[in-house]
Amino acid sequence: MQNSFYREIINDHNLYPTHKHELGCAGCEHRGINPNCGDDITLKLQMEDGVIKDGAYLGDGCAISQASADIMLDLIIGKRKEEAIRLTDIFLRMIKGEATEDEIEELEEAGALTDVSHMPARVKCAVLAWHTLEQLLHDNAK
Amino acid sequence: MDIKEIRRDFPLFQNYPNVAYLDNAATTQRPERVLLAEKRFYEEANANPLRGLYELSQKATDIYEDAREVVRAFIGARSTEEIVFTRNSTESLNLLAYSYGSLLQEGDEIAISVLEHHSNLIPWQQLAKKKRLKLQWIEIDENGRITEDAFRRALSEKTKLVSMTLISNVLGTRNDVKKFARIAHEVGAVFVCDGAQGVPHVPVDVNDLGVDFLAFSGHKMLGPMGIGVLYGRKELLDRMPPFLYGGEMIEYVGKEEATWAELPHKFEAGTVNGAGAAGLAAAIQYYENIGFEKIVKREEELGELTFRTLSEIPHVTILGAKDAASHHGIFSFMVEGVHPHDIAEILSADDVCVRAGHHCAQVLMKELKVNSTARVSIAFYNTEEEIIRLGESIRSLRRRMGYAE
């Protein structure tokens, strides 16, 4: 994360998150943990007719793990569940270095995390929120 | 001690002149003579040690057994029979838990400290589970020290084994192993010492310390990866069953029965790491050529500078003891508002290598009420300039993470 422009986006979301707060919602939360480094987030979504009406997270961890959660919520709030799943897929492929530039464009600020594909030790931090989202939406579909 | 000259002995520093390597508690770098000793083994003496009767195999055996003698002398053991080569400290401790552990009975107690690295914790925890032993925890005080009271509290007449690290890999604190071994013997327990962090940085004499077993790794003391040592008192090793079965650890084998080779070969099943042993011996000789006491003194000076440098930086907290000398070159620290992984990543951008994480000591992390820490660990070959760079990098951390100051 040496490019200072991207570093700024991460810092901004880490220090001044928009979505890091409590949110009332029943049965629509999921906790994600990276046991190795202690990153820990609890993601909450308010769903209505298949649309993500609102979302929030709580937790602690490194800047990348926390900023990634905030940026993700910026992107998916207001979107349909299927669209959120599609974007998550793009994000996870981007981190593996397998997404196209057009696809990365669709991720808006989350594209700032593309550098993580060159930082194997930080991959787990970046994808934690997104895997938690996948799990949450998966459980929600049951 | 001419540090410039010493650094020229290390090929990695030639290849990366700008890298400040400050993760020596994880593994050290290796001087060229260690690498050459390994290479020479394969180029000039390669055959399976302890096997063939031809000259090459004899040469390989000699190098391997000479290395054992170098290790014996280094830690003051009475006989080479007491020196078992393993892969590393982890394997040495697992060997003990498996083999000595088999002699323990349901209801027996073993005591370990909350400072322990996972390699001196999980083998005992799992042994206790399997054999229904009671695992007692030795607690630390607010400075990370084990007091005599705390030690005695964990012991009872049922205690059969105590295992403790000489130096904590997280806090750098040194345990008074000599005193604790004596107390353990008073209740009839054997004393195991994890020397992974201690043996490379402080003089160790097994008889002076009075420990029954000592485990350490070659790679943390300039030696190659994949060679480690278990020292054990002969009377105890004699009573213990083999850890692994296979080639070169037997005396006689029939269809139903087998008898075991004499010490230390009973514990060295399969083809051994001859080149690794040669490399470890070369590493010990490297220490001795410089003079171990000079190395200790140099590391004390660097430790003093590191402690002072970190202490003077706003928002930085050093975990553990409040004086440099108690850290033995290991400094775990926190920077307010900056996660340890972010610390390590930003320092890496400045070519400063420090460790971040739980350091394989999750029980201790819980005691300290942190998830992870950043850790600087020095070795004699580090320079003052590297420590100053470390300080400058840490000073810039909060600004680079978006804080105003």
Side-chain angles (χ1 to χ4, degrees):
Chain A
M1 205 62 50
Q2 289 334 308
N3 185 314
S4 61
F5 172 65
Y6 294 127
R7 179 91 241 173
E8 263 172 44
I9 293 177
I10 305 288
N11 285 349
D12 198 44
H13 281 275
N14 179 45
L15 293 182
Y16 315 107
T18 316
H19 305 290
K20 196 169 191 169
H21 55 77
E22 274 295 348
L23 182 71
C25 69
C28 60
E29 65 171 73
H30 199 87
R31 189 170 176 201
I33 297 173
N34 279 335
N36 242 339
C37 49
D39 295 336
D40 184 343
I41 68 160
T42 300
L43 181 67
K44 296 185 180 192
L45 296 182
Q46 279 176 354
M47 305 290 295
E48 209 177 293
D49 301 326
V51 175
I52 299 166
K53 294 296 283 185
D54 201 2
Y57 75 104
L58 286 173
D60 51 23
C62 66
I64 291 180
S65 71
Q66 302 301 301
S68 184
D70 204 54
I71 292 170
M72 177 187 80
L73 284 163
D74 266 352
L75 183 67
I76 61 158
I77 290 172
K79 300 236 160 61
R80 293 197 63 79
K81 182 181 154 182
E82 295 72 24
E83 177 66 358
I85 291 172
R86 192 181 69 83
L87 292 167
T88 301
D89 176 65
I90 296 176
F91 182 86
L92 296 176
R93 281 191 288 112
M94 175 186 81
I95 297 295
K96 286 188 211 156
E98 293 169 2
T100 66
E101 269 182 41
D102 286 350
E103 284 177 320
I104 294 173
E105 192 83 357
E106 284 193 77
L107 295 176
E108 300 171 17
E109 274 193 327
L113 286 153
T114 187
D115 267 9
V116 172
S117 60
H118 311 295
M119 301 156 62
R122 305 311 296 275
V123 164
K124 275 190 183 154
C125 319
V127 300
L128 178 64
W130 303 77
H131 277 310
T132 310
L133 174 67
E134 264 188 333
Q135 285 286 329
L136 202 164
L137 293 175
H138 182 258
D139 292 353
N140 196 253
K142 276 190 223 162
Chain B
M1 190 181 288
D2 184 345
I3 294 304
K4 270 197 183 136
E5 199 174 304
I6 281 175
R7 287 177 76 84
R8 274 198 288 275
D9 294 340
F10 290 75
L12 186 124
F13 297 143
Q14 307 299 309
N15 294 331
Y16 295 92
N18 296 323
V19 166
Y21 184 77
L22 298 170
D23 193 17
N24 294 288
T27 194
T28 56
Q29 299 302 335
R30 283 147 261 288
E32 192 164 23
R33 64 177 288 171
V34 167
L35 306 175
L36 281 176
E38 283 201 287
K39 190 161 172 268
R40 258 190 221 129
F41 178 89
Y42 287 125
E43 286 181 354
E44 296 170 18
N46 187 55
N48 204 322
L50 312 161
R51 300 285 197 289
L53 295 173
Y54 47 89
E55 205 186 321
L56 264 183
S57 177
Q58 193 53 52
K59 226 173 166 178
T61 306
D62 286 348
I63 291 179
Y64 185 64
E65 292 303 324
D66 288 350
R68 201 190 303 277
E69 167 56 25
V70 170
V71 172
R72 182 208 65 75
F74 184 60
I75 59 167
R78 291 201 172 91
S79 146
T80 50
E81 290 177 300
E82 299 183 312
I83 305 296
V84 177
F85 280 125
T86 60
R87 276 194 303 142
N88 45 38
S89 305
T90 300
E91 188 173 273
S92 299
L93 292 162
N94 273 274
L95 185 163
L96 275 178
Y98 186 89
S99 173
Y100 196 84
S102 73
L103 306 174
L104 301 179
Q105 309 289 335
E106 183 173 341
D108 284 350
E109 295 183 6
I110 46 187
I112 62 176
S113 88
V114 295
L115 286 171
E116 301 313 313
H117 186 282
H118 291 163
S119 59
N120 196 25
L121 191 163
I122 306 171
W124 306 115
Q125 177 195 64
Q126 295 304 309
L127 172 71
K129 237 177 159 175
K130 200 168 96 191
K131 295 209 67 177
R132 295 166 184 270
L133 313 174
K134 198 166 170 202
L135 186 62
Q136 297 283 23
W137 290 93
I138 305 160
E139 303 293 337
I140 51 172
D141 70 10
E142 65 283 0
N143 287 322
R145 289 200 174 85
I146 297 171
T147 62
E148 186 177 331
D149 274 356
F151 185 71
R152 286 187 187 273
R153 266 200 302 280
L155 265 54
S156 79
E157 70 283 0
K158 289 185 186 153
T159 310
K160 293 290 183 288
L161 182 144
V162 177
S163 193
M164 186 189 286
T165 189
L166 180 57
I167 289 179
S168 159
N169 70 311
V170 177
L171 302 176
T173 9
R174 180 179 183 169
N175 293 318
D176 193 349
V177 161
K178 190 172 175 171
K179 179 164 74 181
F180 295 148
R182 183 173 50 73
I183 299 171
H185 290 152
E186 283 169 15
V187 301
V190 296
F191 193 97
V192 180
C193 181
D194 174 359
Q197 289 304 337
V199 171
H201 301 287
V202 296
V204 166
D205 180 299
V206 286
N207 289 306
D208 176 56
L209 285 180
V211 297
D212 299 295
F213 297 100
L214 174 76
F216 57 101
S217 295
H219 75 92
K220 290 192 202 288
M221 47 183 289
L222 317 179
M225 292 186 181
I227 187 82
V229 175
L230 173 67
Y231 156 82
R233 273 205 298 126
K234 185 175 182 306
E235 315 81 278
L236 296 172
L237 291 177
D238 269 333
R239 278 172 49 207
M240 288 160 53
F243 168 46
L244 298 169
Y245 300 103
E248 211 51 50
M249 52 74 64
I250 47 84
E251 179 184 64
Y252 163 82
V253 179
K255 277 187 174 161
E256 313 290 337
E257 279 301 329
T259 56
W260 314 129
E262 68 220 55
L263 289 176
H265 307 291
K266 179 169 90 174
F267 293 107
E268 294 182 357
T271 293
V272 297
N273 186 357
L280 176 57
I284 291 172
Q285 281 153 355
Y286 186 86
Y287 274 113
E288 285 170 347
N289 282 352
I290 296 177
F292 203 80
E293 63 290 349
K294 281 191 195 152
I295 284 176
V296 172
K297 187 163 167 280
R298 165 80 186 157
E299 290 180 348
E300 278 170 7
E301 287 164 6
L302 282 173
E304 183 75 39
L305 175 65
T306 310
F307 188 84
R308 206 169 32 194
T309 303
L310 292 175
S311 304
E312 285 169 358
I313 305 174
H315 306 288
V316 169
T317 314
I318 301 171
L319 278 73
K322 309 284 189 293
D323 65 297
S326 300
H327 279 272
H328 302 93
I330 295 176
F331 304 91
S332 275
F333 66 97
M334 310 290 277
V335 179
E336 197 191 330
V338 186
H339 191 279
H341 283 186
D342 295 317
I343 298 176
E345 185 198 314
I346 292 182
L347 263 52
S348 163
D350 295 346
D351 280 333
V352 176
C353 308
V354 301
R355 179 80 180 271
H358 54 60
H359 315 294
C360 301
Q362 289 192 21
V363 168
L364 177 60
M365 291 290 122
K366 286 205 186 79
E367 291 289 316
L368 300 171
K369 299 185 177 63
V370 294
N371 279 324
S372 60
T373 77
R375 181 188 69 185
V376 174
S377 53
I378 55 172
F380 62 94
Y381 49 57
N382 286 126
T383 65
E384 283 77 1
E385 181 260 334
E386 287 176 322
I387 307 298
I388 291 162
R389 271 174 58 199
L390 166 79
E392 283 166 0
S393 247
I394 296 175
R395 245 173 225 284
S396 73
L397 272 173
R398 282 180 49 96
R399 185 177 43 73
R400 288 154 88 177
M401 289 299 293
Y403 292 97
E405 55 168 348

